[in-house]
Amino acid sequence: ESAYFRVRLELRGATETPTRSYFATVITHALAKTHGVVGGAVPLDHLSFEPEDDDASKGEFDSSMKTSARRVVGVVRCHASDARKLRTALAMLTTTHDGTECVVRTLGEATSLVALAGECAARNLTLRLRG
């Protein structure tokens, strides 16, 4: 059984949008940093990756700081037994493997892609109705 995560990575001070391989490396780094060698060996599939528009969200960093931030969103699959490790590692990450300050948010988590799409769509609708 699998677990699917929709994840937003926001990099502070980045001048270029991260690549798909950079995104994958950051997630593996998060697992290794939090759970050691065992965490770094968790098998992951990176199913989608897309840069997020600058106005798609305000981001997590303080907007008064005049520092650029780049955001990407991706869908990651892992075995259901590794879901807690991945969730924990993503929540605790504050710097990437190359020292760039970052924020990682789990936008959705589900046991199927259909359920993940539904959860994310419902969350977006709720945010639009509030705003």
Side-chain angles (χ1 to χ4, degrees), residues 30-47:
L31 283 160
K33 187 174 179 182
T34 306
H35 301 290
V37 176
V38 172
V42 168
L44 301 172
D45 293 316
H46 299 275
L47 303 178

Side-chain angles (χ1 to χ4, degrees), residues 36-105:
V37 176
V38 172
V42 168
L44 301 172
D45 293 316
H46 299 275
L47 303 178
S48 75
F49 171 84
E50 59 192 59
E52 201 171 56
D53 294 334
D54 284 337
D55 11 328
S57 70
K58 292 181 183 175
E60 302 293 335
F61 291 114
D62 183 358
S63 59
S64 66
M65 296 190 70
K66 307 292 183 219
T67 303
S68 65
R70 298 286 186 217
R71 292 179 295 277
V72 294
V73 176
V75 174
V76 179
R77 177 177 57 202
C78 68
H79 192 274
S81 64
D82 294 320
R84 187 180 51 113
K85 285 180 189 159
L86 181 56
R87 187 181 323 107
T88 304
L90 294 174
M92 295 180 68
L93 189 67
T94 58
T95 57
T96 65
H97 58 285
D98 62 7
T100 303
E101 192 175 347
C102 69
V103 173
V104 180
R105 293 288 178 245

